[in-house]
Amino acid sequence: MSPNGSDRSSRRPMRRKLPQVLTAGLILATATGCTYKDFPRLGMPTPVTEEAPRILSLWQGSWAAALITGILVWGLILWSIIFHRRSRTKVEVPPQTRYNMPIEALYTVVPLIIVSVLFYFTARDESKLLSLSEKPAHTVNVVGYQWSWGFNYIENVDGNPATGNEIPSELDAIPNRFTEQFPKGAEGVYDAGVPGQRNPQTGNPGPTLWLPKGEKVRFILTSRDVIHSFWVVPFLMKQDVIPGHTNSFEVTPNQEGTFLGKCAELCGVDHSRMLFNVKVVSPERYQKHLEELAKKGQSGYIPSGIAQTDPARNAETNKL
């Protein structure tokens, strides 16, 4: 059999399998749990805070840039395969090119431009998302510990501005730049979770953090042991909870409901049990919940984290 005949016979099985491969790819692309309404979010959950759409927009823009780059690269690959394939009649080696300065400049400059553009939009949005207001409506100290979560609601629950003005020792791990902005009379209440705890309404595992709809909440993140990560899935944002270091961010919930949260940092053997819930309610129901915690005897605060010296607690001069 001639060499050309051998090549043709070897290509026939591949041609017969091509429709099968394309069909399998189409099924994998379409047989998912997503609907056409979910597609624009590209895998992200529905945002439930005023800040989350900014994150979603950055996510969508990154996908668009990646898709455009991919189409360009795939197009160049296909063009090379089609127009520079080996001739069946000619066997000589094609002309070899050592240097092509325009192309070399292109594949050096274009990636720099792509990275610079992505860096600009990421830095712009990160700066906006991590900016802190002068006086948030509410402050919650989120405490991570193996293997659950605690929530210190730094609130003036009894309405008396004369109570709770001294910062208790339980909050010593929180830097002064945060404690100076605590509301006057904040005697506070707390809720401390355990791994086996469940939300009574949904049955979801973990303790439940309550938040008011339409009001800005500042989260102050502290750890009592190892690094954790505070992630409320539909907030589209997560941040590390680090012992000896205080992170913070603010959100304004705009949709009532109960949402899932979890630790997104491998923190030990029972990391998978560090789950929690976030229940967004009306401001009136939120205030009532705080009063219910006080009636249960959960006034004051749980220890927020590892004790730090004054220089360590206030080393960061981040202006709020």
Side-chain angles (χ1 to χ4, degrees):
M1 183 180 290
S2 67
N4 289 340
S6 176
D7 290 343
R8 284 194 296 270
S9 62
S10 64
R11 285 197 293 267
R12 286 189 190 117
M14 295 182 62
R15 289 177 178 175
R16 285 197 296 268
K17 291 180 180 179
L18 183 60
Q20 300 173 5
V21 173
L22 293 176
T23 302
L26 181 62
I27 293 173
L28 288 174
T30 57
T32 66
C34 298
T35 67
Y36 72 94
K37 294 181 180 179
D38 299 322
F39 181 76
R41 297 197 307 273
L42 300 171
M44 281 285 196
T46 302
V48 298
T49 69
E50 293 182 2
E51 294 78 12
R54 177 179 291 271
I55 302 172
L56 179 60
S57 177
L58 180 63
W59 172 256
Q60 292 168 324
S62 300
W63 267 98
L67 183 60
I68 293 171
T69 304
I71 291 174
L72 175 62
V73 172
W74 298 329
L76 291 173
I77 292 174
L78 291 174
W79 178 79
S80 300
I81 292 173
I82 294 171
F83 293 100
H84 294 281
R85 66 188 184 277
R86 179 182 175 184
S87 172
R88 294 181 182 180
T89 58
K90 297 180 180 179
V91 295
E92 69 270 13
V93 177
Q96 302 299 298
T97 303
R98 285 179 175 269
Y99 304 104
N100 190 313
M101 293 305 295
I103 291 181
E104 291 187 14
L106 179 68
Y107 66 61
T108 301
V109 173
V110 170
L112 288 175
I113 294 174
I114 294 172
V115 171
S116 299
V117 171
L118 291 175
F119 176 82
Y120 166 76
F121 285 107
T122 302
R124 182 200 65 179
D125 290 345
E126 181 184 18
S127 176
K128 184 67 175 179
L129 291 165
L130 295 181
S131 63
L132 301 178
S133 59
E134 293 185 1
K135 283 291 183 180
H138 306 277
T139 300
V140 179
N141 171 213
V142 177
V143 184
Y145 49 86
Q146 298 170 317
W147 308 101
S148 193
W149 300 88
F151 309 111
N152 285 324
Y153 297 92
I154 304 171
E155 300 273 6
N156 182 5
V157 181
D158 62 6
N160 185 355
T163 61
N165 286 321
E166 292 186 5
I167 305 301
S169 59
E170 289 83 1
L171 303 183
D172 276 348
I174 299 177
N176 292 350
R177 67 181 186 274
F178 295 114
T179 59
E180 290 170 354
Q181 296 189 332
F182 287 174
K184 290 186 178 181
E187 70 283 350
V189 290
Y190 69 88
D191 192 5
V194 294
Q197 189 173 346
R198 288 188 176 273
N199 181 282
Q201 283 80 35
T202 63
N204 295 331
T208 300
L209 167 65
W210 289 58
L211 299 176
K213 177 185 175 182
E215 298 184 355
K216 188 174 291 293
V217 180
R218 175 180 297 174
F219 296 114
I220 300 175
L221 311 177
T222 55
S223 170
R224 297 208 302 232
D225 36 55
V226 300
I227 297 179
H228 303 283
S229 184
F230 181 70
W231 180 24
V232 183
V233 178
F235 284 9
L236 309 190
M237 182 173 179
K238 57 188 175 184
Q239 199 169 55
D240 281 351
V241 185
I242 305 173
H245 174 81
T246 305
N247 279 331
S248 63
F249 68 97
E250 296 178 353
V251 299
T252 305
N254 57 12
Q255 181 177 325
E256 292 190 16
T258 302
F259 310 104
L260 298 178
K262 60 184 70 178
C263 176
E265 184 78 28
L266 182 58
C267 55
V269 64
D270 280 340
H271 158 71
S272 62
R273 302 183 69 191
M274 286 200 63
L275 306 173
F276 64 97
N277 306 279
V278 174
K279 187 177 180 66
V280 180
V281 296
S282 66
E284 296 77 17
R285 182 65 185 91
Y286 172 75
Q287 181 62 32
K288 185 178 179 181
H289 175 68
L290 300 182
E291 295 170 358
E292 291 171 351
L293 291 177
K295 290 179 181 178
K296 292 179 183 178
Q298 294 174 221
S299 295
Y301 307 103
I302 60 173
S304 61
I306 297 172
Q308 298 172 269
T309 62
D310 285 341
R313 285 195 301 125
N314 301 293
E316 297 180 20
T317 58
N318 180 34
K319 186 176 180 182
L320 299 179

